[in-house]
Amino acid sequence: MTPPQRQRRYPKEEPPEPPTAGPAPAGQDDPRDPGRLYVLTGGGEGGDRADIDLVTLIVARADVPPPATQPEQSALLRLCKAPLSVAEISAYLNLPFSVVTVLLTELLTAELVQARAPIVRQALPDRSLLEAVMHGLQKL
């Protein structure tokens, strides 16, 4: 018995060439544009950031965003009516984690949102609790 012979696959068509780099048409800004992200973060002013990681839960304190907030901050406040992690916020807003951290720091200082650290579980349960459960089960 001879093994089956493989046939080489050839591409049927050449893929279309990517569009040439040039200025984006009006109204179609790239959300990952470094210039836009720089403006969103206030140009790197302050430098202090809140101690936030990807699993920190964020909850909005205000029902309605104040009129002076940026559109991204308003969207963030609307998203956080229910607790969301910073990673989820970053994904929903299509912004990098570092930019979301800067936006959240501004909202935290204005007391418009509340940050909740994730619950850290102990690696092992308390021995006395396990013994109490064991004795309770033995008495049944």
Side-chain angles (χ1 to χ4, degrees):
M1 181 181 249
T2 61
Q5 298 293 320
R6 290 189 172 199
Q7 294 181 355
R8 200 169 256 218
R9 296 182 193 170
Y10 294 102
K12 296 177 183 175
E13 295 180 15
E14 290 292 320
E17 291 189 25
T20 59
Q28 295 182 359
D29 295 329
D30 180 20
R32 298 260 183 199
D33 179 32
R36 178 178 174 270
L37 298 178
Y38 182 78
V39 171
L40 280 178
T41 59
E45 296 173 0
D48 292 336
R49 291 188 188 176
D51 189 23
I52 297 174
D53 57 359
L54 288 171
V55 293
T56 301
L57 295 177
I58 305 296
V59 181
R61 287 185 169 179
D63 292 334
V64 179
T69 57
Q70 296 177 11
E72 287 77 12
Q73 289 176 332
S74 297
L76 196 146
L77 287 171
R78 284 192 301 273
L79 276 174
C80 294
K81 288 184 180 177
L84 281 178
S85 71
V86 178
E88 291 173 311
I89 295 168
S90 177
Y92 287 137
L93 294 179
N94 196 22
L95 292 172
F97 171 72
S98 58
V99 173
V100 173
T101 303
V102 172
L103 294 174
L104 284 173
T105 300
E106 293 173 7
L107 292 174
L108 283 167
T109 56
E111 295 183 355
L112 294 173
V113 295
Q114 179 182 8
R116 298 180 184 171
I119 299 172
V120 179
R121 306 251 184 233
Q122 291 181 347
L124 298 173
D126 186 27
R127 183 178 176 93
S128 62
L129 175 67
L130 290 175
E131 288 176 355
V133 170
M134 184 178 70
H135 291 304
L137 289 172
Q138 287 174 347
K139 289 181 182 179
L140 291 177

